[in-house]
Amino acid sequence: MVRDRDNDEWIKSLQAEGPIRESALSDLRELLFVGLKSALKSRSDFIDPMLDDFLQDSLIRILEALDQFQNRSRFVTWATAIAIRVALTQLRKRQWRDVSLETLVADTNFEPEAASDELAPDRRELVEAMYHVINTQLTEKQRIVLLAEIKGMAQEEIAAQLGCSRNALYKLSHDARFRLKQELVLVGFDSKSFAAAFNG
Amino acid sequence: MPVTGEEIQLILNVIRDTQAVEIDCDVCLMQVGEFAEDRLAGKPIAEGLKAIEQHLLICPECREEFEALCEAMNALENPES
Ligand SMILES: [Zn+2]
């Protein structure tokens, strides 16, 4: 029978030694098993035999991060969030490991004509302005990151292929988005104009 | 290949939701549990969690993880279903 614990007891037990820690680890593993199985069910690339590895890696990450738990949620909720990050990061890596960022970018171009058929006529101006900023105001790396992210490429894989850290990637992505926004606002577009360029 | 209309809209959506100061994925991970518990309890979003809400709008990976966390929490609450 799996026993949940209050937050203090989880932390104390996991920091203890011997049977108290063993029993807490085993209960946490059971709870993460139930949570992860359900969390991953919508991923078609997930199969049950992967769970053992995911759980093993998750427990290591959770134990390493114990001192970052701020007691602002239930402990099990916090631990489950970490386990989901561990599992999905591994699934995304597998999904994207054979895709070359270089090819992805080389195969795509930000040309104003590209999607004009589907464009609502009054939105053509906005999209053309956006392309102009992307092509003239963003750095090569910012353009690559923006493109790779809208293609859904895993952040971990983008960072690996660019040879930068996840934090550096986040900064590149933020700088690209923020620059784009600032430039578009400068030429007269506001948040409302970004809402629906395509009538669908 | 051209960028598709759907992809252009994706860019416009993230531009709309981009803020000068944002949190990153690691900060989001540490606090998303509290955000998810409040959401599942139907509570309004606390001031201190607005940055999480914004991050989930602009980061598809953290959004996928948040949705997965809600699934997991439901399964843990109702183990037999
Ligand atoms: Zn994120």
Side-chain angles (χ1 to χ4, degrees), chain A residues 85 155 166 170, chain B residues 24-25 28 55 59 61-62:
Chain A
R85 164 76 52 95
Q155 293 181 36
R166 269 293 296 272
Y170 193 82
Chain B
D24 65 21
C25 301
C28 182
H55 185 79
C59 180
E61 293 189 2
C62 286

Side-chain angles (χ1 to χ4, degrees), chain A residues 172-192:
Chain A
L172 270 172
S173 158
H174 177 258
D175 289 351
R177 288 183 281 110
F178 192 59
R179 183 69 193 266
L180 200 44
K181 183 172 191 165
Q182 274 183 316
E183 295 291 334
L184 288 175
V185 169
L186 258 180
V187 293
F189 296 102
D190 61 6
S191 286
K192 262 183 248 152

Side-chain angles (χ1 to χ4, degrees), chain A:
Chain A
M1 181 68 189
V2 179
R3 189 165 69 86
D4 199 354
R5 294 156 171 81
D6 67 30
N7 289 353
D8 275 355
E9 194 187 348
W10 272 118
I11 299 288
K12 279 194 188 118
S13 310
L14 291 169
Q15 287 172 334
E17 279 171 37
I20 293 180
R21 177 183 157 101
E22 290 312 314
S23 145
L25 272 175
S26 147
D27 285 349
L28 181 57
R29 195 179 192 285
E30 278 297 306
L31 292 167
L32 293 178
F33 177 88
V34 173
L36 266 190
K37 226 176 126 88
S38 189
L40 299 176
K41 69 178 180 223
S42 63
R43 292 280 307 208
S44 59
D45 52 352
F46 165 69
I47 46 168
D48 279 357
M50 295 172 172
L51 265 179
D52 261 348
D53 275 353
F54 290 166
L55 287 169
Q56 195 57 34
D57 293 347
S58 297
L59 285 172
I60 294 170
R61 275 286 295 279
I62 290 162
L63 292 174
E64 281 170 357
L66 272 190
D67 61 347
Q68 293 171 53
F69 177 60
Q70 296 164 6
N71 213 12
R72 289 165 54 157
S73 67
R74 289 175 55 216
F75 176 78
V76 171
T77 306
W78 176 81
T80 304
I82 294 180
I84 289 170
R85 164 76 52 95
V86 167
L88 283 178
T89 299
Q90 293 188 24
L91 287 175
R92 292 174 189 139
K93 251 193 219 160
R94 279 172 224 232
Q95 185 187 351
W96 287 95
R97 68 184 162 196
D98 298 325
V99 179
S100 147
L101 192 55
E102 220 175 312
T103 314
L104 188 77
V105 173
D107 284 352
T108 314
N109 58 355
F110 284 112
E111 295 302 331
E113 309 80 48
S116 43
D117 295 347
E118 310 164 52
L119 256 183
D122 59 330
R123 293 311 169 101
R124 180 182 292 265
E125 219 183 322
L126 166 64
V127 173
E128 283 179 359
M130 182 180 90
Y131 278 130
H132 182 72
V133 178
I134 291 174
N135 287 323
T136 62
Q137 306 285 311
L138 299 189
T139 66
E140 177 70 16
K141 269 196 176 171
Q142 287 174 342
R143 221 171 4 251
I144 292 173
V145 168
L146 186 71
L147 183 63
E149 287 188 346
I150 61 158
K151 293 282 179 191
M153 190 168 179
Q155 293 181 36
E156 197 86 16
E157 191 57 37
I158 303 173
Q161 292 194 27
L162 281 178
C164 69
S165 68
R166 269 293 296 272
N167 277 349
L169 176 70
Y170 193 82
K171 195 173 172 334
L172 270 172
S173 158
H174 177 258
D175 289 351
R177 288 183 281 110
F178 192 59
R179 183 69 193 266
L180 200 44
K181 183 172 191 165
Q182 274 183 316
E183 295 291 334
L184 288 175
V185 169
L186 258 180
V187 293
F189 296 102
D190 61 6
S191 286
K192 262 183 248 152
S193 36
F194 304 142
F198 294 85
N199 291 335

